[in-house]
Amino acid sequence: MNMLTQDQIKQFEEKGWVGPLDIFTRSEVETVKKCLETNSAIKEVDGQPMMMLYNNVLNLSTSRDLHLFHQPIAEMFKNPKIVGLLNQLGEKNLLLWNTNVFGKMPGEGEIKWHQVYDCYDPSAYDPQKPALLYPKNEDFLNLTVWVALDDATLENGCLRFANRTHKQKFKRVQVPAEEGMFAGIKNHKMVWQGRRQYSAVFDFDENEWEVEAVPAKMGQVIIFTERVMHSSYSNNSNQRRLAINARYVPPSVQVYSHRWQGDFIDENFHNIKKHFCILVSGHDAYGINVVRDSHDLDDTEVEFQTMSNLVRFGHVQLPQGKKQIELESLYQQAMEGDCLEEEPDPILQPRKYIQWQAWNQLKGMSRSEAMKQYSQIVATLPKVDREKKLPLGEEIKAWLVAYMAKVLKIDPDEVNCSLPFERYGLGSADSIILTGELEAWLERDLSTNVLYNYPNIDLLARYLASTASP
């Protein structure tokens, strides 16, 4: 088993972090990478590529807590090679309570300096319900294990630490959400930051401290206490920087204490009713947390969640017409039960009305039966070669170029994507036809003035990709 040297333990105690440590083999890392890459998609948000992920236990789009469903991730952070090192740092009884994927795409911004001292959610300003409730008068560590799944370099956004800052608590300062510490990371914006008016940064001047950047090779690990000030650079390269971390606390720390009052919405607007902690070492003498070895989904729901990921992340070719409506309706019935939505106007919202009607006709079908029927349909769908599949923004752009080339009877290479549609001679009637064709291809309703608001192919494709449903 890997062991920390006395010098490494001393470094952790003095600086608040230690690493990079050679822990995982290439095959161990590739297993987790394959799991994440298979269960993700690249989506464009505000013109920036973003790695879209989904939590199949909490049932929401998030980069957080994917270990609750995906066993390779859970096994990585339960591994004795990791847990043994944490035990060496002074904590014998440990709960794994949180994981987070950081798929920092080319062009994504920095994560600003932050620490977690006496409440959890460093980006919130005066949070009303912190994720962790720490016991008073108890000295303990909140430990994070950060694993490089791609090489993390100075160019693509490696971690950096302000040494010894774990011994001092810094003041949080309220700022607009778009200036918060995670504002540069698009997947955080998609998950929750867009719903906040305010966020926070810390009253911290890096010039007053010894700062170290810590590049890491794939499979290397950095261990740190969340109390140490840490940040990461922008990704200024043309390569993705994929990493994942896990957070551990002793069982005396209560995780999501508000759940015991029946409040299952956390400080980041996630529904954490099905969240649980995993005891990875020692024992739990407190009984104040939901602790399990794995999720409690039955085989039917596991199959349904697996099949829904095939659809969600573009691994299967979706059916057209009535079969697609049936598939969407079964998904709604499986997730929400009987339709309780108000009937939409069939003239103003024809597609939404057809979808509502199909869902409403399933009234009385159990969620379990809907899951089974959904899975049976998806299992028959043809597989898609992901290597050949373009990101959605590029796919829409290619469609628009092909459409314009056909209408104008010119070569696709002659279509200028930054030239306004009106410069190509598209009148109002032509715009209506194009919008209708685009609606049919995308299978979603569009505003009648969408071409006016986004007047060229580049702008329109970017907008449509950023507003597409997961």
Side-chain angles (χ1 to χ4, degrees):
M1 181 184 293
N2 293 315
M3 298 288 286
L4 294 173
T5 66
Q6 287 303 310
D7 285 343
Q8 288 171 329
I9 293 173
K10 184 177 179 180
Q11 177 189 329
F12 178 85
E13 291 172 347
E14 290 185 356
K15 294 185 176 181
W17 62 276
V18 63
L21 308 170
D22 294 319
I23 301 295
F24 293 112
T25 65
R26 187 173 191 88
S27 62
E28 288 172 319
V29 173
E30 290 293 351
T31 299
V32 173
K33 282 180 70 170
K34 183 178 179 181
C35 174
L36 290 174
E37 290 169 347
T38 301
N39 294 283
S40 66
I42 304 303
K43 183 175 181 178
E44 205 169 272
V45 179
D46 297 337
Q48 170 65 53
M50 183 202 82
M51 192 174 191
M52 189 193 86
L53 298 147
Y54 189 85
N55 188 310
N56 295 94
V57 172
L58 303 184
N59 284 314
L60 49 85
S61 294
T62 180
S63 58
R64 205 181 79 184
D65 293 336
L66 303 190
H67 70 286
L68 300 181
F69 185 77
H70 297 295
Q71 198 62 25
I73 301 174
E75 291 303 322
M76 170 172 273
F77 291 114
K78 291 162 57 179
N79 194 313
K81 291 193 292 186
I82 285 293
V83 176
L85 303 184
L86 302 182
N87 294 155
Q88 275 191 275
L89 294 174
E91 293 294 347
K92 300 301 181 186
N93 307 311
L94 284 172
L95 296 175
L96 167 62
W97 78 276
N98 175 276
T99 59
N100 211 337
V101 177
F102 293 90
K104 188 177 279 193
M105 304 300 291
E108 285 202 272
E110 66 175 346
I111 295 178
K112 298 177 182 178
W113 289 106
H114 60 286
Q115 69 175 174
V116 176
Y117 215 89
D118 56 1
C119 69
Y120 204 91
D121 185 18
S123 60
Y125 184 78
D126 191 23
Q128 297 301 307
K129 42 185 176 183
L132 300 181
L133 185 61
Y134 297 141
K136 295 180 179 178
N137 305 317
E138 183 176 326
D139 186 27
F140 64 89
L141 294 172
N142 53 0
L143 293 165
T144 291
V145 172
W146 188 95
V147 183
L149 301 180
D150 294 328
D151 288 352
T153 66
L154 295 173
E155 292 75 28
N156 71 10
C158 68
L159 284 178
R160 53 186 186 147
F161 297 94
N163 295 334
R164 301 176 182 84
T165 48
H166 62 303
K167 300 176 181 180
Q168 179 176 333
K169 180 181 177 182
F170 293 85
K171 181 182 178 182
R172 290 186 302 170
V173 180
Q174 182 181 22
V175 295
E178 62 271 17
E179 299 174 15
M181 64 188 66
F182 293 116
I185 306 300
K186 295 299 180 184
N187 82 329
H188 281 77
K189 179 176 180 180
M190 284 294 289
V191 172
W192 54 264
Q193 193 155 306
R195 298 179 63 180
R196 281 192 173 153
Q197 184 177 1
Y198 298 106
S199 185
V201 293
F202 284 82
D203 185 10
F204 173 74
D205 184 353
E206 66 178 89
N207 296 312
E208 297 176 358
W209 296 84
E210 178 187 57
V211 171
E212 283 189 60
V214 190
K217 295 291 187 181
M218 184 179 79
Q220 289 187 320
V221 167
I222 301 169
I223 301 174
F224 58 95
T225 169
E226 291 277 349
R227 290 185 176 186
V228 70
M229 274 287 176
H230 53 288
S231 65
S232 68
Y233 292 114
S234 301
N235 186 347
N236 297 318
S237 75
N238 59 0
Q239 300 293 321
R240 176 196 72 184
R241 192 223 69 181
L242 185 62
I244 185 169
N245 69 12
R247 298 180 173 103
Y248 303 80
V249 291
S252 57
V253 177
Q254 192 167 25
V255 181
Y256 301 124
S257 60
H258 50 83
R259 73 187 301 166
W260 302 111
Q261 284 75 52
D263 183 356
F264 297 105
I265 305 301
D266 75 359
E267 76 284 5
N268 287 330
F269 312 107
H270 293 73
N271 187 321
I272 47 82
K273 188 172 185 177
K274 293 185 178 181
H275 179 274
F276 59 92
C277 301
I278 300 174
L279 183 68
V280 295
S281 73
H283 66 283
D284 176 9
Y286 294 86
I288 57 176
N289 291 299
V290 178
V291 180
R292 287 202 300 269
D293 290 331
S294 64
H295 61 70
D296 59 357
L297 307 184
D298 62 26
D299 291 344
T300 296
E301 186 164 359
V302 170
E303 177 74 1
F304 166 76
Q305 293 289 352
T306 301
M307 290 297 178
S308 68
N309 279 352
L310 294 180
V311 174
R312 182 176 290 114
F313 299 120
H315 294 292
V316 291
Q317 184 176 323
L318 292 179
Q320 301 298 311
K322 291 182 179 179
K323 203 66 177 176
Q324 184 182 18
I325 296 293
E326 178 186 4
L327 191 66
E328 292 172 352
S329 302
L330 286 168
Y331 182 83
Q332 289 176 298
Q333 187 73 13
M335 293 295 290
E336 302 178 46
D338 288 346
C339 176
L340 301 176
E341 292 183 0
E342 185 177 344
E343 181 177 342
D345 190 303
I347 296 175
L348 297 177
Q349 299 173 297
R351 192 176 190 283
K352 190 173 182 180
Y353 173 76
I354 293 171
Q355 182 62 54
W356 175 89
Q357 196 175 42
W359 181 16
N360 196 49
Q361 287 174 354
L362 298 179
K363 190 166 288 186
M365 178 184 288
S366 70
R367 295 180 62 188
S368 179
E369 180 59 29
M371 289 180 186
K372 289 178 183 178
Q373 292 192 26
Y374 178 93
S375 297
Q376 289 168 359
I377 292 174
V378 175
T380 67
L381 299 178
K383 298 295 188 291
V384 171
D385 185 351
R386 272 184 66 121
E387 295 299 319
K388 296 180 180 179
K389 188 174 176 63
L390 293 171
L392 182 57
E394 292 300 314
E395 194 176 354
I396 294 172
K397 187 174 176 178
W399 186 94
L400 287 166
V401 167
Y403 179 91
M404 295 297 292
K406 182 179 178 180
V407 169
L408 299 171
K409 297 179 180 178
I410 60 176
D411 191 271
D413 291 340
E414 297 179 57
V415 177
N416 184 338
C417 295
S418 62
L419 197 67
F421 291 115
E422 62 180 19
R423 295 279 295 275
Y424 283 111
L426 260 66
S428 57
D430 300 311
S431 296
I432 291 171
I433 294 171
L434 170 54
T435 302
E437 294 285 345
L438 195 51
E439 281 184 326
W441 181 67
L442 290 172
E443 297 172 344
R444 58 183 276 201
D445 295 327
L446 299 176
S447 167
T448 55
N449 61 356
V450 68
L451 267 66
Y452 176 81
N453 292 330
Y454 304 93
N456 64 43
I457 289 175
D458 280 334
L459 293 174
L460 182 57
R462 192 177 304 159
Y463 163 73
L464 292 173
S466 69
T467 56
S469 299

